Amino acid sequence: TYQGTNLTWKLSDAGVLTIAGIGEMANYTAWSGGEAPWYGHIDKIKKVVVERGVTSIGNLAFYKCKNLTEVSVADTVVSIGSSAFSSCSSLTKMVFPDSITEIGDSALSGCSSLADVKLPNGITTISNNMFADCKSLSEITIPDSVTTMGYAFPGCSSLYAIYVPGSVTNFPDRSIASLTTIFCEDDCPLLPYASASSMKAYWCPRSEWAGTCGENISYSFDIDTRTLTLSGNGEVTTDNIFRGYRGVK
């Protein structure tokens, strides 16, 4: 079935929706007549495969595919449209190829089961509401390519850790829950702003990832494994040592 420029779609009996061809996918709407051509089958879709040759995923392409659990996106895709995967409530993991340079607003909003996300190291902006109401998302790493953070995390009630590179120069605090820790480098340009503002989250620069917490006790935090290690002998005397390490293993 034709959709977009030189693209076709096919839904198998096993619930695998495959998009194939060369070029961009069309943008869709939530209005009657403007939906994606597979919208009438969204309850049957369990997996989406976007094959090599496809260069974009359109707005609202897979909106409300509530039984979708797996997505495979080829490395020819360079952009993801607004609300493309919004309200895919069974989706638990999303891996974007590094070919992608743009992800639209609300692209993963309402994905209430989403717990594991790998963002592409090519985007420069985390768009508004990208992860709105992703209630199972507990941590996320922002790629080094990102310079601007939008109002991206409202309703992310389980989010305890965000890893922010030094390239980020803008970060709206109102989208971050008070229990969230933001890990960053010591030279992060946002640190002076964070300490001077009423930002709810706790900012934890690299200089606080290791230190002493007693006369003969030291601590270190491994950001890759999220492991906090205490070593030495005696009593831990620093009451707030754990404030930056919520969710450690």
Side-chain angles (χ1 to χ4, degrees):
T1 301
Y2 174 85
Q3 69 90 29
T5 303
N6 299 320
L7 300 186
T8 61
W9 68 275
K10 180 180 180 181
L11 180 61
S12 73
D13 293 339
V16 179
L17 176 64
T18 302
I19 311 296
I22 305 294
E24 298 180 351
M25 183 184 295
N27 288 317
Y28 305 106
T29 72
W31 304 107
S32 178
E35 307 99 329
W38 47 81
Y39 186 77
H41 308 282
I42 58 173
D43 289 348
K44 301 176 181 178
I45 299 172
K46 299 178 181 179
K47 179 179 180 179
V48 167
V49 177
V50 180
E51 294 189 342
R52 285 187 59 81
V54 180
T55 59
S56 71
I57 294 177
N59 297 345
L60 291 156
F62 308 110
Y63 174 59
K64 286 189 176 180
C65 289
K66 63 181 181 180
N67 294 315
L68 178 64
T69 60
E70 186 178 354
V71 176
S72 175
V73 179
D75 60 7
T76 53
V77 174
V78 297
S79 65
I80 306 290
S82 298
S83 301
F85 295 95
S86 181
S87 300
C88 293
S89 55
S90 297
L91 187 64
T92 60
K93 181 177 181 179
M94 189 72 197
V95 177
F96 292 104
D98 287 336
S99 58
I100 292 173
T101 58
E102 181 181 0
I103 300 177
D105 291 353
S106 305
L108 291 163
S109 65
C111 292
S112 55
S113 299
L114 187 67
D116 187 0
V117 177
K118 178 188 177 298
L119 291 170
N121 194 20
I123 56 172
T124 58
T125 300
I126 302 297
S127 61
N128 290 331
N129 296 306
M130 184 184 290
F131 299 102
D133 296 317
C134 290
K135 300 182 182 301
S136 298
L137 187 65
S138 60
E139 62 179 302
I140 190 165
T141 298
I142 305 303
D144 292 339
S145 57
V146 172
T147 58
T148 301
M149 299 285 297
Y151 181 58
F153 303 101
C156 292
S157 53
S158 298
L159 186 63
Y160 70 79
I162 303 175
Y163 305 92
V164 177
S167 57
V168 175
T169 58
N170 179 61
F171 200 127
D173 60 339
R174 66 188 186 278
S175 69
I176 305 298
S178 59
L179 293 179
T180 302
T181 297
I182 301 175
F183 293 92
C184 62
E185 298 299 324
D186 292 325
D187 61 354
C188 177
L190 294 174
L191 275 175
Y193 160 73
S195 61
S197 74
S198 58
M199 181 174 277
K200 297 178 181 179
Y202 173 68
W203 285 70
C204 188
R206 184 176 289 273
S207 58
E208 295 184 16
W209 299 358
T212 59
C213 52
E215 185 175 352
N216 297 303
I217 303 291
S218 62
Y219 71 91
S220 63
F221 178 65
D222 187 320
I223 199 167
D224 294 323
T225 62
R226 283 87 66 197
T227 301
L228 179 68
T229 301
L230 301 178
S231 58
N233 297 291
E235 181 180 356
V236 175
T237 58
T238 303
D239 293 337
N240 65 355
I241 179 178
F242 297 105
R243 66 176 180 169
Y245 307 111
R246 301 180 184 93
V248 296
K249 295 182 178 179

